[in-house]
Amino acid sequence: MSNARTARFSRRGLLAAGGALGLGALVTACGSEDSKDSGSGAKGAAGSGPWSFKDDRGKTVSLDHVPTKIVAFTGVAAALYDYGIEVKGVFGPTKTKDGKADVQAGDMDVSKLTVFGNRFDQFNVEQYAAFQPEVLLTTTFDAAGSLWYVPEASKDKIAKLAPSVAISVFDRQLPKPLQRMAELAESLGADLKAAKAVEAKKRFEAASERLRKAAKSRPEIKVLAGSASDAIFYVSGSNFSIDLEYFKALGVNLVEPPEKAKKANGGWFENLSWENVDKYPADIIMMDDRASTIQPADITEATWKKLPAVKAGQVIARSPEPILSYDKCTPLVENLAKAIESAKKVS
């Protein structure tokens, strides 16, 4: 692996197998920290107010009106879109090289978005300032509350332009950040009692119960969470990742690399060479679906093609950075349940 690529994976690639270490990009939100409510605002009346929201860092952002000039990490904007909240400015993976919507953009029309940065460590501060943002919304992947995809080099400049809100996706199970994102959407005007929102949550709960039953009935099925780069195959443990922690809690038999093997990567995952990709027997392989990783159909390594799960066609997609709406997370749970139900024991 080249030095440039090594550097890339030392920071951005810590999420390659479904986890991330702190990027040191903590941006302090304005307001007090003693609010007891998660959020408040005029429902369905964006632009009116007042508005406040206490995020997962314990920071409360308060404005005299519900913000409309919102800038958000792409995945957060996609989740809010599912609740009817349209964000006009984004940063993070939004468009692929051919100009199409990145998987993290969800159902948004990316042609209508102002994109301040499409890659990691890319953020046009001047363009952001001209946009006159009222609030910045993103996630955090560490205990320190570092703002995901806010570059370390420009975080202080960005912080001065608008307060920030962070939803934690670190070391907790999927339902919690889903709930928090729904609360954020509600504070911005979403109606969580609307039929669409209610039905989406019910489908997620039904999918979760289906996965619980599938895992209980097929405890012998081993599931490995992987991610591919040119030189390395990453195997995630369930530590810290919101989806894997949840799947494990539901009874899924996940392949768990030993802590010693994950130590160099902050406890998130183990690096394997392609020669050793068969180190852990698995019946199902869940592969990282992000554009920054190599997708299964494009993997040419002979060792990969020889894996029993690959030969059996038992490879499914995984979203290490899921769009945090019930609508988008339900298929992730359903697909794993279906895969376990129908899997052949090949390991």
Side-chain angles (χ1 to χ4, degrees):
M1 181 183 293
S2 68
N3 290 336
R5 192 166 181 84
T6 301
R8 174 180 169 226
F9 273 93
S10 66
R11 299 190 68 196
R12 181 184 185 185
L14 286 174
L15 243 180
L21 291 180
L23 301 178
L26 177 62
V27 179
T28 304
C30 70
S32 64
E33 298 183 18
D34 57 359
S35 172
K36 294 182 180 179
D37 297 324
S38 294
S40 62
K43 293 183 180 179
S48 62
W51 178 83
S52 69
F53 189 84
K54 185 175 183 180
D55 75 0
D56 291 339
R57 300 169 299 172
K59 305 287 185 179
T60 298
V61 175
S62 298
L63 300 174
D64 60 8
H65 62 277
V66 179
T68 57
K69 299 279 285 186
I70 301 170
V71 172
F73 173 68
T74 303
V76 172
L80 294 175
Y81 184 87
D82 287 347
Y83 286 106
I85 306 298
E86 294 195 31
V87 175
K88 302 295 178 61
V90 299
F91 59 97
T94 306
K95 299 178 181 179
T96 58
K97 292 180 180 179
D98 58 5
K100 295 181 180 179
D102 187 277
V103 65
Q104 295 190 62
D107 294 331
M108 294 189 296
D109 183 348
V110 297
S111 68
K112 296 180 179 180
L113 298 173
T114 298
V115 184
F116 301 105
N118 198 60
R119 300 189 304 274
F120 191 78
D121 265 351
Q122 181 189 76
F123 197 115
N124 191 320
V125 180
E126 291 72 23
Q127 184 186 23
Y128 179 66
F131 186 83
Q132 297 183 317
E134 294 175 307
V135 67
L136 180 148
L137 313 176
T138 187
T139 53
T140 180
F141 278 87
D142 61 25
S146 303
L147 297 185
W148 188 230
Y149 265 75
V150 173
E152 175 68 17
S154 55
K155 67 184 179 80
D156 292 336
K157 292 180 180 178
I158 293 169
K160 293 177 181 178
L161 296 170
S164 61
V165 167
I167 298 298
S168 178
V169 287
F170 173 72
D171 196 18
R172 57 191 59 192
Q173 294 177 25
L174 185 56
K176 182 60 177 179
L178 277 172
Q179 175 189 337
R180 293 292 286 137
M181 190 63 72
E183 291 170 354
L184 176 58
E186 184 177 38
S187 78
L188 294 169
D191 181 5
L192 299 188
K193 295 182 180 179
K196 181 180 178 181
V198 172
E199 182 58 30
K201 186 174 182 180
K202 286 183 178 179
R203 289 199 308 270
F204 176 79
E205 292 169 345
S208 297
E209 184 57 29
R210 178 181 176 181
L211 179 56
R212 186 193 304 276
K213 291 179 179 178
K216 184 177 181 179
S217 66
R218 303 295 305 279
E220 76 282 5
I221 299 300
K222 296 179 180 179
V223 179
L224 182 147
S227 184
S229 70
D230 289 336
I232 298 174
F233 184 79
Y234 304 85
V235 179
S236 280
S238 62
N239 312 52
F240 310 139
S241 298
I242 56 174
D243 61 331
L244 299 184
E245 284 198 7
Y246 187 48
F247 297 158
K248 186 174 183 179
L250 292 175
V252 175
N253 183 4
L254 290 171
V255 171
E256 295 280 5
E259 293 302 316
K260 184 178 181 180
K262 297 182 295 181
K263 187 175 181 180
N265 298 306
W268 289 85
F269 54 88
E270 178 180 2
N271 295 356
L272 295 178
S273 66
W274 283 103
E275 289 76 14
N276 296 315
V277 72
D278 61 351
K279 180 177 180 179
Y280 298 107
D283 303 292
I284 296 171
I285 301 177
M286 295 191 297
M287 288 296 289
D288 190 336
D289 68 356
R290 291 170 299 175
S292 59
T293 67
I294 300 175
Q295 296 306 299
D298 298 320
I299 299 175
T300 59
E301 301 290 342
T303 49
W304 163 261
K305 294 181 179 180
K306 291 179 181 178
L307 292 176
V310 175
K311 293 171 69 175
Q314 296 176 174
V315 178
I316 64 173
R318 176 198 171 212
S319 298
E321 293 181 72
I323 293 173
L324 293 172
S325 70
Y326 293 104
D327 182 69
K328 292 296 183 294
C329 285
T330 295
L332 306 179
V333 181
E334 288 179 336
N335 291 344
L336 180 54
K338 182 179 179 180
I340 292 175
E341 291 167 351
S342 59
K344 297 178 181 178
K345 180 65 179 175
V346 296
S347 66

